[in-house]
Amino acid sequence: MHVLALPTVLIFGFVMSLIVGMAAQRLLGIRLGVVRLILAGAFALFVGPFIMIAILGPVAPDAQDPDPEIDFDGTTFWFLLLSLVCIVLASMAFIVVVEAFAPLGSIPPARIWGRGLRGRFKRARRYWQIIGIAVRNGLGPYIRGGRRRALAVPSGRAQLGRALTATLNRGGVTFVKMGQIMATRRDMLPVEMVTELASLQDDAEPVPWEDVERVLLSELGSPAREIFADIDPTPLAAASVGQVHVARLHSGEEVVVKVQRPGIRPVVERDLDIAARLAARLENGTDWARGMGLSTLAEGLAAAIREELDYRVEADNIVAIAEAHPAGSDVRLPGVHAQLCTERVLVMERLRGTPLNAAGPAIDQNGLSRTRIARSLLSVLFHQIIDAGVFHADPHGGNILVLDDGRLGLLDFGSVGRLDGSLREALQRLLLGVDHGDPLAVSDALLELVPRPDEIDEQRLERDLGRFLARHVSGSGSPSARMFGDLFRIVADHGLSIPPEVAAVFRTLATAEGTLSAVAPSFNLISETRSLASGYMTEQLAPDQLKQSATEELARLVPVLRRLPRRVERIANAAEHGRLGLNVRFLADERDRAVITGLLHEILVAFIAATTGIMAVILLGMGGGPEITEDVSLHELIGYNLLVISAILALRVLVRIFRRS
């Protein structure tokens, strides 16, 4: 019997904990996890004996009585019931306190704690390794929130850019890639930091050919020598995420094979998680990170890097842009062999040429026109943005080739932007307004591009845009890359938030401006954009185009026009006979009704809790009534019960408030 006593007590305690916890859960009207359920019940069982001793004291036998026995009559039953309800009430109070400090979902389930514990240690070690690299490279004062005044001047921002560049360069694959993407974010970062970040190099040691062969076998299902007639084991280029090999298909076509580095995805995911944590910490603790919106920036960079890890996305991007590519253009896109493209392998046509940022001697040697090259690239980008709505979002010099035949080739479609028709029209009006120096037109177009806030000072916005146009457009000087940063600064100062797809357009134009200026220093981006936009507008207003647009609009309106006479006749008849009325259904949406119903329910419960509590206090204070025991009257017993009911209802409201917040 003694051997079975302990297991019996433990089983009985566990069952009672579940019962008490389920009762508390039911009274609160919420669902709890098993762990919280058992903890709430265990707490109630721990305090239960003390509650029962305190409440059953008036009906307990005298300790000096030689034959103590509890007279279990009606009075004892009500006191016992009150003590049991108070025990459940203690469990409810425990749940409410836990929900206030650790709401459900804020702590991972127990089964997850042990899962991946080794990975958590690795992440923590990597986290402090990155912190150490940052401190050694001069980011320590910025992490601690210091040097606020230094960031107010260009030299201070440049110093931060140099420290950040050195940190990212030593941080590894993911951080170098993040720095490269940050170098294109003139919409969110100061130009001094962007200039420093542009020096990051994405060079890496090549992966051994044996590892590349294993990736190709795993992804394509056959050895490389069976899929390709010939493939060069020496990579044409090696970067942090992948490397490129030249190959030839059995059909004789020359292709490039882009292969992702083995095991790179877990490393990137770990570092992206660390970067998000660092960004959140810096944004909470420093003004400069908060002003830049560092968490939002980190989320955008992480999304861009994850897209680059899936080569199928890049293959789809090439196909989408190729379908909208203008015929007869001087810019070529590589063809994609979709049947050989997987998540980690991309096979596409090889374009022979020299990267634009290193093609200066070749351009001069072959007698090519720099202005024509710049105009061809801008024309294709403008067509992709304004007409097609899908565009190459990273046109820097390394992603553009000057081909052997004098044309241009676009590479690296991991970053692509997309625009719908309404955004394209508003963007066209914005560019035309900038070119004409019309702040009113720019203001109107800008407010169509961004979500309009409830309150905005349009006059001040128009004046700021007028100063912007006077600084960057008026006069004979060529616009600088700073123009786009200044425009984003105006947008931020007026509390406007630019959608990501629109921000991608401005980043693309800013990157293209730098690329085109390097190729043709005298190339005027605004003038050429004006010419392209004017030509596009003239094309849209051509008789054939107007006729086609009118025909399409009319085709959409025909069903409406066909039903219109009958509806007008019905309205006229109803008005003539006095039957015309307006039927408005208040709270017709079920979601609105649910919100109102839930709010009224909580208000009603809170009102009943307050009323019951007031009644309990009155009964406890007035005394009187029949004597239940020597110390407790009937009014006081009822008051105690009402007080318990009031506490239960109040806790029910509180737990919902804590869980919602």
Side-chain angles (χ1 to χ4, degrees):
M1 291 298 294
H2 293 290
V3 176
L4 298 177
L6 181 59
T8 302
V9 170
L10 291 176
I11 293 174
F12 178 77
F14 178 77
V15 173
M16 290 303 298
S17 297
L18 279 179
I19 293 174
V20 175
M22 292 175 67
Q25 172 185 256
R26 178 63 179 171
L27 288 171
L28 288 172
I30 60 173
R31 292 188 64 83
L32 299 172
V34 176
V35 174
R36 293 190 181 216
L37 204 65
I38 295 174
L39 287 177
F43 175 80
L45 292 184
F46 174 75
V47 300
F50 303 102
I51 293 174
M52 295 189 73
I53 291 172
I55 293 179
L56 293 177
V59 295
D62 190 353
Q64 298 179 354
D65 190 345
D67 188 19
E69 290 185 2
I70 297 178
D71 185 12
F72 195 79
D73 54 8
T75 301
T76 306
F77 170 77
W78 287 111
F79 275 93
L80 179 62
L81 181 61
L82 180 61
S83 63
L84 293 176
V85 174
C86 286
I87 292 172
V88 177
L89 181 62
S91 177
M92 294 171 63
F94 175 82
I95 294 171
V96 171
V97 171
V98 171
E99 287 290 331
F101 289 96
L104 186 66
S106 61
I107 300 176
R111 65 178 181 274
I112 297 179
W113 292 349
R115 191 186 302 168
L117 195 58
R118 182 180 177 186
R120 287 188 177 87
F121 282 125
K122 284 185 177 180
R123 185 180 64 193
R125 185 174 60 185
R126 175 66 170 161
Y127 180 89
W128 291 110
Q129 180 186 1
I130 296 299
I131 292 291
I133 293 173
V135 171
R136 286 194 299 273
N137 286 282
L139 281 182
Y142 300 99
I143 293 175
R144 293 190 294 268
R147 298 191 180 178
R148 300 179 185 177
R149 294 182 180 179
L151 296 177
V153 296
S155 60
R157 293 192 290 269
Q159 183 179 358
L160 172 59
R162 285 191 292 271
L164 182 60
T165 301
T167 300
L168 295 175
N169 214 14
R170 292 170 175 78
V173 174
T174 310
F175 291 96
V176 170
K177 181 63 67 176
M178 291 184 73
Q180 290 180 324
I181 300 175
M182 288 167 67
T184 67
R185 296 304 301 266
R186 290 179 171 87
D187 57 319
M188 301 188 73
L189 296 176
V191 65
E192 297 84 5
M193 292 182 62
V194 170
T195 303
E196 295 294 336
L197 290 168
S199 63
L200 280 167
Q201 298 296 322
D202 191 17
D203 298 326
E205 289 294 325
V207 176
W209 173 243
E210 294 76 13
D211 295 338
V212 173
E213 279 189 310
R214 281 194 288 271
V215 173
L216 291 173
L217 177 62
S218 172
E219 293 293 309
L220 302 180
S222 300
R225 299 297 179 185
E226 294 182 9
I227 298 173
F228 304 103
D230 182 36
I231 184 168
D232 189 354
T234 303
L236 182 66
S240 56
V241 173
Q243 62 187 40
V244 177
H245 293 261
V246 178
R248 185 167 48 84
L249 299 177
H250 291 288
S251 62
E253 181 182 355
E254 195 174 23
V255 296
V256 292
V257 183
K258 190 175 180 180
V259 184
Q260 193 174 111
R261 286 177 174 267
I264 194 66
R265 182 176 286 274
V267 175
V268 171
E269 289 293 342
R270 182 195 63 195
D271 285 352
L272 288 178
D273 180 70
I274 291 171
R277 293 169 184 270
L278 280 172
R281 176 181 172 181
L282 290 172
E283 190 167 328
N284 290 331
T286 63
D287 292 335
W288 66 269
R290 196 176 305 113
M292 290 180 187
L294 202 58
S295 292
T296 303
L297 178 62
E299 290 175 6
L301 297 178
I305 291 175
R306 288 191 177 99
E307 278 197 1
E308 290 192 25
L309 289 177
D310 190 345
Y311 289 164
R312 293 171 299 186
V313 173
E314 184 172 351
D316 293 340
N317 290 340
I318 298 175
V319 172
I321 293 180
E323 289 178 352
H325 196 64
S329 172
D330 287 339
V331 180
R332 283 195 60 194
L333 305 179
V336 176
H337 295 271
Q339 71 278 9
L340 297 177
C341 295
T342 68
E343 184 178 356
R344 296 194 294 165
V345 175
L346 176 64
V347 179
M348 53 187 174
E349 175 190 3
R350 184 185 183 187
L351 300 180
R352 289 185 173 272
T354 307
L356 187 60
N357 53 11
I363 292 174
D364 296 334
Q365 183 178 354
N366 296 326
L368 301 176
S369 171
R370 291 175 176 267
T371 302
R372 181 182 176 185
I373 289 175
R375 186 175 291 120
S376 297
L377 179 59
L378 181 62
S379 176
V380 166
L381 290 176
F382 188 86
H383 171 81
Q384 292 175 356
I385 293 171
I386 299 298
D387 198 19
V390 54
F391 57 93
H392 193 298
D394 191 18
H396 64 76
N399 287 339
I400 303 166
L401 292 180
V402 178
L403 303 179
D404 295 342
D405 59 4
R407 293 188 293 173
L408 297 178
L410 281 180
L411 304 176
D412 195 353
F413 293 81
S415 179
V416 166
R418 287 178 170 81
L419 295 173
D420 58 35
S422 60
L423 286 178
R424 295 201 301 271
E425 292 177 4
L427 184 61
Q428 181 186 1
R429 289 194 294 274
L430 176 69
L431 295 176
L432 287 173
V434 169
D435 178 61
H436 294 153
D438 185 354
L440 181 60
V442 174
S443 175
D444 292 341
L446 187 62
L447 291 176
E448 289 185 35
L449 283 172
V450 303
R452 190 186 184 104
D454 295 333
E455 295 182 2
I456 184 173
D457 189 344
E458 294 193 29
Q459 283 189 335
R460 188 168 71 88
L461 175 62
E462 189 176 333
R463 286 195 298 270
D464 289 345
L465 289 173
R467 286 191 290 270
F468 163 79
L469 295 173
R471 182 183 305 116
H472 293 286
V473 180
S474 300
S476 58
S478 298
S480 65
R482 203 176 49 179
M483 167 183 173
F484 298 99
D486 289 347
L487 182 58
F488 275 106
R489 201 165 293 117
I490 292 173
V491 168
D493 290 343
H494 286 267
L496 304 175
S497 58
I498 294 185
E501 55 270 24
V502 178
V505 172
F506 286 104
R507 290 200 307 274
T508 301
L509 292 176
T511 305
E513 196 275 339
T515 303
L516 299 177
S517 297
V519 175
S522 61
F523 189 77
N524 191 313
L525 180 69
I526 293 296
S527 299
E528 294 296 332
T529 302
R530 178 187 61 186
S531 176
L532 291 170
S534 299
Y536 181 79
M537 181 63 73
T538 302
E539 182 181 325
Q540 294 297 313
L541 296 177
D544 293 341
Q545 189 66 33
L546 287 175
K547 180 180 178 181
Q548 180 181 353
S549 300
T551 302
E552 292 174 355
E553 291 292 336
L554 185 61
R556 286 192 288 265
L557 286 173
V558 164
V560 178
L561 295 174
R562 187 178 297 168
R563 293 190 295 266
L564 186 60
R566 292 196 298 272
R567 292 182 176 178
V568 171
E569 183 181 0
R570 290 174 186 171
I571 293 173
N573 288 334
E576 181 180 358
H577 294 88
R579 297 194 304 270
L580 184 63
L582 184 64
N583 184 17
V584 179
R585 295 182 60 189
F586 183 64
L587 297 176
D589 194 330
E590 185 177 349
R591 292 171 297 180
D592 295 337
R593 294 197 300 272
V595 170
I596 297 297
T597 303
L599 182 61
L600 291 175
H601 178 265
E602 291 185 11
I603 292 174
L604 181 60
V605 172
F607 176 76
I608 295 174
T611 304
T612 308
I614 293 172
M615 293 172 59
V617 171
I618 293 174
L619 288 172
L620 290 173
M622 67 183 294
E627 295 292 333
I628 302 298
T629 66
E630 294 181 359
D631 301 319
V632 181
S633 67
L634 178 61
H635 289 173
E636 290 174 333
L637 180 60
I638 295 174
Y640 287 133
N641 283 277
L642 289 178
L643 195 61
V644 170
I645 294 172
S646 174
I648 290 174
L649 295 177
L651 289 174
R652 184 183 178 97
V653 174
L654 283 175
V655 75
R656 290 180 178 274
I657 293 173
F658 290 140
R659 176 158 289 190
R660 185 179 294 119
S661 61

